[in-house]
Every structure is written in structure tokens, then in C-alpha cells.
């Protein structure tokens, strides 16, 4: 029996921690709960042994699993991610396991001896001590009577005293209860802990993550107590209405549905008390999707048959292979994926389908559910913690062998994996922007390699890296050059908005040509999609008197005006403020709003086409998957005429009634300081153009632009990916950007400008003194977003033809940072960075 175990914990430290086994022995790949500093944390056991550590080992508190939650293959994949992306192993494992619902993080507080003294001193100086006598406010004079250490120091003294009073005569109070009772903020509680007036207690523990729903059941029994309870007491109108609603639903209905009725909630409690209704807890059902889908047509053309044969052959060999499926929009890639996954399921094996965004998951899930029924599991961050845990366990038990989801679904615990499909493989959403900063497409390739599975990367506009690998022979290239049923690609007309301005003298959001085309489609009962890849009403607010723009207090970025909510919002940190009537800097009344967003576009369309049924899809209107599915269902059913949106409307949606797509603003990205700006613009334009003409009627695209001569715009209008690739790849080669080199972005950040400058300078000096062989280091320099979420930011950009050398340099840099007392969390390493902002 081993005496110790090594545990990977979800902390930003690149080390495992040794604990003493005390009783039950865990398994490698299983979870344990252990003490870490002043808290309890769940971790993954990575080793069992008898070698004692150099310091006294703490005991394992709880063994959660009798069998591994991460098998050997997933453990190996996690170690590869930690090594390749230079990330702590424990944080990688936390990302791989969506089981947060099974461990409740909680903390409480108790009164410390010093806090008792403060209360005693306050009471002797005339300040009420017992909680039942707390005065609602303390005046300045009363504050003066408190001991010096309890006077105002940035937190509210009366709230501090209220906290102490509330903890008096209580053992431990949970944080949420304490804050609710006293209105104390976390800062207030932290201040009291630092003063040693109160003590923090970790109450984290395992919990039952089974989802249940409360059901109201009609009590149709004729028990004497029920008859006695109602005897001589007539039911009122609300009670009768509620009983009728339950009866109409078959005698049982979810309590949540009853709460939607215009009836007081106390009415149900009254019926329960009188014995007419019973409340039961039942396991909650999981809803895959409300979308119906069009039904998959598995009658394939010659190119689709050839692609399917290639994928089936690769998946059946049980050997690793990579194929890039390059198919134009509307070429039937989804049908090929599903047919291949159907063959995998028939063979008794498993498959994973990755999609880039939550918005695309309902449609993919609807198609899969039609074909595979209950064999489908869904994994994405839009689910609740309990829903994700439930789906994960279904997969692990083997109840679902087909998995669809966003990037984290690449870690699904499927057994006997045969096929992974990465749809829209070019999409930047596959790159995680927090530690571990992995790219799901590349992790999927590595997982397929470890599992001996086939992987298919699909896109109408492949990333340059993937297409380069296909050209070099690293990937098999499978092409679908035509749309299904020989449908033509939509006609794309480029409209020069500079010329529009010269002719009209106005900076218009919707050109005359686009307005005319929209009117024609509406008269024919056809549908329209309009893309403006910027949400909000106005892009920025400027004072015409002093020239000042209203910037976020936390970020070096202009705030966006949201007219309907009457706020200015930062789209990076979420900070909001009211819309000023005068300039905060100079007091001038000449405050004006510039630029346009999807909210303004929607408003203008309502004015131009008052009879049209219009909806908007962006992050302001889509708060969850229900919102997205509702709009898409309405569009698919012909209940909407125009949909306005940001890039979330551009990809993957198969709406047959859309015959016109207007691109109102998608080329602004060409002005960004980013070497991928042209590629992203081409991909967005080509993808959104592909939403037109997917049914029997031909489609058309009006592409409004201020850069009509740019090659990304021209080749997108010609549906010519190869010409764009050939031109763009030459620029990349000249500048040695990916795919011709490995690239990493190292970011140094701090809330204090002096620290960010000092630390960036220290790492810059280290690079100069030990110039890395075969690596070009640019920086340090201020990041394009020099301040973000209150942090000042400086960065280095590293390029190398050798990934091994790059990895070694990054690890040496981090080791040097630690030796120089630079906090690990203040140095961010982003390997294969997609954004340099």
C-alpha cells in the first residue's frame, strides 16, 4: 500500500504536490480533495509512491473516485498540453474536467478574539453591541468613539461593526448569508480578515450534482385529511385557476411553469398546505435543441461520395490520419460528417464533432439527434455546471458515443475513439484566451494521434496553416468544389462606399443600392441577412470642444454607446456608465456619438421598412442558447424577414429562405495591427456570403466597403480561396510569420504601471544578455491594448523555425522571472497566439 500521492492542483504553479494517504487509497487519474494553504482544493492524482517529501506532508482529506476520471490517454494528452503550451498541469486538468458541480466551493467566517475585543471596546464607548440593537447608521461623532483601528479606512465602519455583531454567538456563518444580512462586500470581509477581527473558514465540500426539477402533482386521492382540509372553505379564483392548469397538463406540471402564470406564488403553497397538490422532485430532462433541422439528405453527388469513402477508409484502419475537407459553402460538408459518424457508430466505436461557437451547437445537435437519437451528448460552456457534469458522465458510461460541442468537447471521455471532426477549423474561437491557452484544433489532432483515430478538418476558408500542411503533404486534401444540387454560388457585388459618399454627401449605413435590393426581396417574401460586425449603437463618444473620447476607466479603449439600455459599455471588461449630457473633461455640451453598430442598423431598418419583421442577433440580444434558437427557429419558419447581426450570423446556418446578404461593415479589421487581418476579413466575407442562396432561389450579396481594391475583398467577391492563399502566403513567407515559423506572445501585466515597466525591462535585459539562437525576439513594447481590465500590459513577440527551441526559451524565461520575484500570474505565455492585442 503506497503512503503518499502526488496531486496536480488547479493553481498557477508548475509543480505537483505530495500528500500523505490516510485511509482510502486513490487511483491515478482520480480526484481527491486536499488542503492547500487556507483552503480545500480538488486535484488529480498523478502518482502513488512511498517516498516522503522534504517537508511534512498534509493528509488527503477525501478520495472522490474509485476509478480514474482521466484515463491514461487523457492524462498523456493533458501532459502534452501542459508541456506544449507552457501551462501548469493542474490547470490543464481542471479545463479537461467539467465537473465543477460536484465540488462546491464555499467559505464562511467566524468571530476572532480580536473582533470580540473591538466589540467590547465599542460597547463601552456607547456603540450598541448586540445585533438586535444595531443602529442603522453611525454618525461621524459615533465613529470617533470607536477604537482607532475600527474607524473608516476605505470600508464602511457601520458595516464592519454589523459583521462583527452578526457573527457574535454564532459559530461559522457562510459568506453569502453574512453578506446578505450585513450588506458587506468581499473587500470589507477581506479587510476584517487582514485586521484579524474575523477568521475565514473553508467550507468547500463534495455535493450531489444530480439535476432535479420540482413537479406539482394533483392529489386526486380522497383521503379524509384532504376532505377535512377543504371542508367549508371554498377555493378562490387563483386556486381554481392553478388546479385547472395542473389538470390540463395531465395532473402534473413543473413548478417553474406554474410560476410563469399571473398568479401569486403563495397560491401554490396554499394548495399544498390544504393537501390538494403535492410537490415532488424528479430528475430533470436534458433538452438537446428546440431546432428541428431540415432533415439530412444522404443522396450524395460524386464528390461527396469520394470524400465520404476517404473518411470511412481512414476511420476503419484504426491508424492516425489527418484530412482537410475544403468545401465551398453549401457543398454538403455537414451531411458528409454525419454519414461518416453514422458508419463509426455502426462499427461500435465513437466520434466527436467540434463546432466553434455555442450558437452553432443547437443546429448541429438537432441534425445529430435526428440521425443518432439518444446516442448524442452535448458539451459546451453554455450549459450549467450540473448539465455539463451530467453529459460528461453519460459519455464516460458509454451511454453516448457521439459527442458534439465547442472546444472543451475535445476532452470528452469517449472510449474507442474512431473519428474527430473539427468543423470551421479556421475559426479563432477554437483558441482559448485564458490559461491553458490551447488551440482545440491542434489538441484534437494530437488526441487523434494518441488514439489511433482519423481526424477531419472542415472549412470553406481553411486557415493558412492547415492549407499549407495539406499542400506540403502532411494532411490529405479532400475537396468539395461545388454546391449540392448544382446550386450556383451567390453573385457578389462590391459597392464602394467612398463613391456613395461623394454622390450623396452623407455617411450612410445602408447604401441606396442595398436599400433597393432589400425592398425587392421583401416584396417577393424572401429573407435578408445583414452583417455589421460591431455591436452597440455608436462606436465611440467624442467631445467636439476638447476632442476627448470617453474611455473605459479600466481599459485603454473607447466605450461603446448602447442606446436602448442608455449606457456606455466597455466590450472588454464590461464596465458601464451612464450617457453624459456634458463632457466630463471640459464641461462642454458638444458631446457627439460617432460610428455605428448592429443596434443602430436595426433601428434604421425599422424606419426604412416599417412593415418588415426584424430581429437582431448579437451578444446584447443573445444571453443564452434559448435566445439564439428562438430567432433561428423563427427565421427558418419564415416568421422573420430580416436578421441583423454580428459575426455569429456568418457561419454554419442553413436557412433556405435567405436570398440576400448585405455586408454593411466587415472590412474594418483590415486596419488592425495584426498580420492575420487580411485572412480574417476574407474568411468572414466568404462565410457570410455563403448564407445566401442555399435554397432553390439564387442568392446575391451586396458587399459595402471602403477598401474595394484590397485583395481580401476582391478574392472573397470572386469566391477564390486559392488566389487569396497564394497571395497571402507570400507575405507570410517574406515576414516569417506562421505557417513559416512558430510564434509566441509573452505578455507582462500589472495593476501598477511601474511594475509592468520594470518587469518587462528585466525580461528584455535577460533576452539581450542571452540572445536565443534561431529565435527572433521583438520587444518589449506596449501591447496594442496597453491597459486592459485595470492592468498595464507590455509584450514580446517571439518567432522561431524550431518549436523545441521556442519551448526551451519560454521555460527559461519563466524560470528567470520566478528567480527575479516576478509573480507567475503576471507573465502570460501564449504559444501559437492568434491575437497580439
Amino acid at each position: 500500500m503506497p503512503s503518499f500521492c502526488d496531486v496536480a492542483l488547479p493553481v498557477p504553479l508548475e509543480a505537483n504536490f505530495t500528500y500523505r494517504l490516510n485511509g482510502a487509497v486513490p487511483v491515478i487519474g482520480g480526484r481527491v480533495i486536499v488542503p492547500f494553504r487556507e483552503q480545500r482544493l480538488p486535484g488529480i492524482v498523478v502518482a502513488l509512491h512511498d517516498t516522503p517529501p522534504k517537508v511534512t506532508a498534509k493528509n488527503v482529506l477525501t478520495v472522490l473516485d474509485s476509478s480514474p476520471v482521466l484515463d491514461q490517454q487523457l492524462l498523456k494528452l493533458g501532459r502534452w498540453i501542459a508541456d506544449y503550451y507552457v501551462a501548469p498541469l493542474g490547470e490543464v486538468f481542471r479545463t479537461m474536467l467539467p465537473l465543477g458541480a460536484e465540488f462546491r466551493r464555499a467559505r464562511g467566517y467566524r468571530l476572532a478574539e480580536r473582533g470580540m475585543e473591538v466589540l467590547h471596546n465599542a460597547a463601552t464607548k456607547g456603540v450598541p453591541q448586540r445585533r438586535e440593537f444595531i443602529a442603522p447608521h453611525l454618525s461621524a461623532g459615533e465613529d470617533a468613539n470607536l477604537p482607532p483601528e475600527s474607524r473608516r479606512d476605505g470600508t464602511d465602519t457601520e458595516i464592519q461593526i454589523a459583521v462583527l455583531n452578526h457573527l457574535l454567538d454564532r459559530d461559522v456563518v457562510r459568506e453569502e448569508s453574512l453578506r446578505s444580512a450585513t450588506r458587506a462586500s468581499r473587500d470589507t470581509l477581506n479587510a476584517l480578515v487582514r485586521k484579524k477581527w474575523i477568521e475565514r473558514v473553508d467550507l468547500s465540500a463534495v455535493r450531489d450534482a444530480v439535476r432535479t426539477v420540482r413537479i406539482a402533482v394533483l392529489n386526486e386521492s380522497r383521503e379524509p385529511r384532504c376532505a377535512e382540509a377543504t371542508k367549508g372553505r371554498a377555493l378562490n379564483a387563483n386556486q381554481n385557476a392553478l388546479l385547472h392548469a395542473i389538470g390540463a397538463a395531465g395532473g402534473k406540471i413543473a413548478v417553474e411553469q406554474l410560476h410563469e402564470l399571473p398568479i401569486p406564488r403563495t397560491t401554490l403553497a396554499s394548495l399544498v398546505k390544504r393537501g390538494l397538490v403535492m410537490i415532488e422532485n424528479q430528475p430533470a430532462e436534458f433538452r438537446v435543441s428546440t431546432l428541428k433541422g431540415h432533415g439530412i439528405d444522404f443522396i450524395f453527388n460524386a464528390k461527396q461520395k469520394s470524400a465520404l469513402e476517404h473518411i470511412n477508409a481512414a476511420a476503419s484502419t484504426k491508424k492516425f490520419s489527418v484530412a482537410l475537407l475544403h468545401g465551398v459553402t453549401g457543398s454538403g460538408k455537414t451531411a458528409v460528417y454525419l454519414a461518416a459518424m453514422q458508419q463509426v457508430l455502426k462499427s461500435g466505436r465513437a466520434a466527436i464533432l467540434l463546432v466553434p461557437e455555442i450558437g452553432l451547437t443547437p443546429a448541429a445537435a438537432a441534425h445529430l439527434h435526428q440521425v443518432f437519437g439518444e446516442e448524442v451528448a452535448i458539451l459546451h460552456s453554455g450549459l450549467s455546471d450540473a448539465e455539463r457534469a451530467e453529459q460528461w458522465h453519460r459519455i464516460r458510461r458509454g451511454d453516448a458515443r457521439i459527442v458534439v460541442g465547442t472546444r472543451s468537447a475535445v476532452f470528452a471521455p469517449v472510449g474507442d475513439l474512431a473519428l474527430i471532426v473539427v468543423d470551421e477549423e479556421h475559426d479563432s474561437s477554437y483558441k482559448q484566451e485564458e490559461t491553458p491557452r490551447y488551440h482545440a484544433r491542434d489538441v484534437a489532432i494530437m488526441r487523434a494521434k494518441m488514439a489511433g483515430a482519423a481526424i477531419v478538418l472542415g472549412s470553406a476558408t481553411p486557415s493558412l496553416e492547415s492549407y499549407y500542411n495539406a499542400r506540403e503533404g502532411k494532411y490529405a486534401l479532400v475537396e468539395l468544389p461545388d454546391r449540392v444540387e448544382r446550386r450556383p454560388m451567390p453573385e457578389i457585388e462590391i459597392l464602394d462606399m467612398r463613391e456613395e459618399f461623394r454622390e450623396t454627401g452623407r455617411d450612410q449605413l445602408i447604401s441606396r443600392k442595398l436599400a433597393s435590393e432589400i425592398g425587392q426581396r421583401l416584396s417577393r417574401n424572401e429573407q435578408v441577412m445583414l452583417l455589421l460586425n460591431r455591436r452597440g449603437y455608436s462606436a465611440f463618444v467624442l467631445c467636439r470642444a476638447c476632442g476627448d473620447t470617453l474611455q473605459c476607466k479600466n481599459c485603454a479603449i473607447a466605450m461603446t454607446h448602447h442606446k436602448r439600455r442608455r449606457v456606455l459599455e466597455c466590450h472588454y471588461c464590461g464596465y458601464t456608465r451612464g450617457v453624459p449630457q456634458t463632457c466630463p473633461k471640459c464641461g462642454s455640451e458638444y458631446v457627439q456619438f460617432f460610428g455605428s453598430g448592429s443596434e443602430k442598423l436595426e433601428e434604421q431598418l425599422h424606419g426604412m421598412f416599417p412593415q418588415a419583421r426584424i430581429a437582431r442577433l448579437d451578444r446584447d440580444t443573445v444571453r443564452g442558447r434559448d435566445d439564439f434558437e428562438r430567432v433561428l427557429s423563427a427565421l427558418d419558419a419564415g416568421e422573420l424577414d430580416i436578421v441583423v447581426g454580428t459575426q455569429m450570423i456568418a457561419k454554419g446556418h442553413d436557412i433556405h429562405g435567405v436570398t440576400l446578404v448585405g455586408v454593411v461593415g466587415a472590412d474594418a479589421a483590415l486596419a488592425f495591427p495584426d498580420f492575420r487581418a487580411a485572412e480574417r476579413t476574407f474568411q468572414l466575407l466568404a462565410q457570410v456570403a455563403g448564407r445566401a442562396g442555399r435554397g432553390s432561389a439564387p442568392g446575391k450579396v451586396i458587399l459595402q466597403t471602403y477598401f474595394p481594391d484590397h485583395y481580401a475583398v476582391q478574392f472573397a467577391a470572386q469566391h477564390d480561396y486559392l488566389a487569396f492563399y497564394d497571395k497571402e502566403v507570400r507575405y507570410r513567407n517574406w515576414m516569417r510569420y506562421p505557417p513559416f515559423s512558430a510564434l509566441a506572445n509573452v505578455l507582462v501585466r500589472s495593476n501598477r504601471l511601474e511594475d509592468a515597466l520594470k518587469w518587462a525591462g528585466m525580461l528584455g535585459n535577460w533576452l539581450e544578455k542571452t540572445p536565443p539562437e534561431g529565435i527572433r525576439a521583438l520587444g518589449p513594447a506596449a501591447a496594442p491594448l496597453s491597459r486592459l481590465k485595470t492592468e498595464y500590459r507590455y509584450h514580446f513577440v517571439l518567432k522561431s523555425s524550431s518549436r523545441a527551441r521556442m519551448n526551451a526559451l519560454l521555460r527559461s524565461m519563466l524560470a528567470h522571472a520566478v528567480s527575479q520575484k516576478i509573480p507567475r500570474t503576471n507573465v502570460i505565455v501564449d504559444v501559437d497566439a492568434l491575437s497580439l492585442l
Side-chain angles (χ1 to χ4, degrees), residues 785-829:
L785 275 176
S786 59
R787 189 165 181 255
L788 186 65
K789 299 179 181 178
T790 75
E791 293 181 326
Y792 296 92
R793 309 160 81 243
Y794 289 82
H795 73 148
F796 303 82
V797 176
L798 308 177
K799 294 189 285 186
S800 175
S801 58
S802 168
R803 292 190 177 276
R805 287 178 181 172
M806 176 79 80
N807 188 280
L809 175 69
L810 291 171
R811 293 193 174 277
S812 296
M813 177 181 281
L814 287 177
H816 178 72
V818 170
S819 70
Q820 297 301 308
K821 310 298 184 187
I822 302 175
R824 176 66 179 85
T825 54
N826 291 79
V827 181
I828 306 300
V829 174

Side-chain angles (χ1 to χ4, degrees), residues 578-598:
V579 180
Q581 300 300 313
T582 59
C583 174
K585 183 176 181 180
C586 71
S588 167
E589 296 181 355
Y590 298 107
V591 175
Q592 295 194 5
F593 302 89
F594 293 90
S596 303
S598 53

Side-chain angles (χ1 to χ4, degrees), residues 310 320-325 425 441-442 445 455-457 463-478:
H310 179 96
F320 169 63
S321 64
V322 187
L324 175 63
L325 180 58
E425 65 84 27
R441 177 197 62 210
D442 299 335
I445 292 172
I455 180 167
V456 177
L457 312 178
S463 64
L464 260 72
E465 290 87 343
S466 294
Y467 202 79
Y468 176 82
N469 285 334
R471 281 277 189 94
E472 292 294 302
K474 293 181 180 179
Y475 303 165
L477 180 60
V478 181

Side-chain angles (χ1 to χ4, degrees), residues 180 186 289 378 380-381 403-404 448 520 596 641 757 760 783 789:
S180 175
R186 283 200 175 94
S289 174
I378 313 294
H380 61 73
S381 59
V403 179
V404 58
Q520 292 176 34
S596 303
D641 301 311
L757 279 168
K789 299 179 181 178

Side-chain angles (χ1 to χ4, degrees), residues 12-45:
L13 299 172
E14 296 182 24
N16 297 323
F17 301 88
T18 302
Y19 289 87
R20 182 181 296 277
L21 296 176
N22 184 23
V25 177
V27 293
I28 294 176
R31 295 169 297 163
V32 292
I33 296 178
V34 296
F36 184 79
R37 294 177 179 168
E38 297 179 354
Q39 57 186 328
R40 302 173 186 177
L41 292 178
I44 296 293
V45 176

Side-chain angles (χ1 to χ4, degrees), residues 209-220:
V210 176
R211 293 186 307 117
T212 59
V213 60
R214 296 174 70 225
I215 302 293
V217 182
L218 207 58
N219 187 357
E220 296 179 348

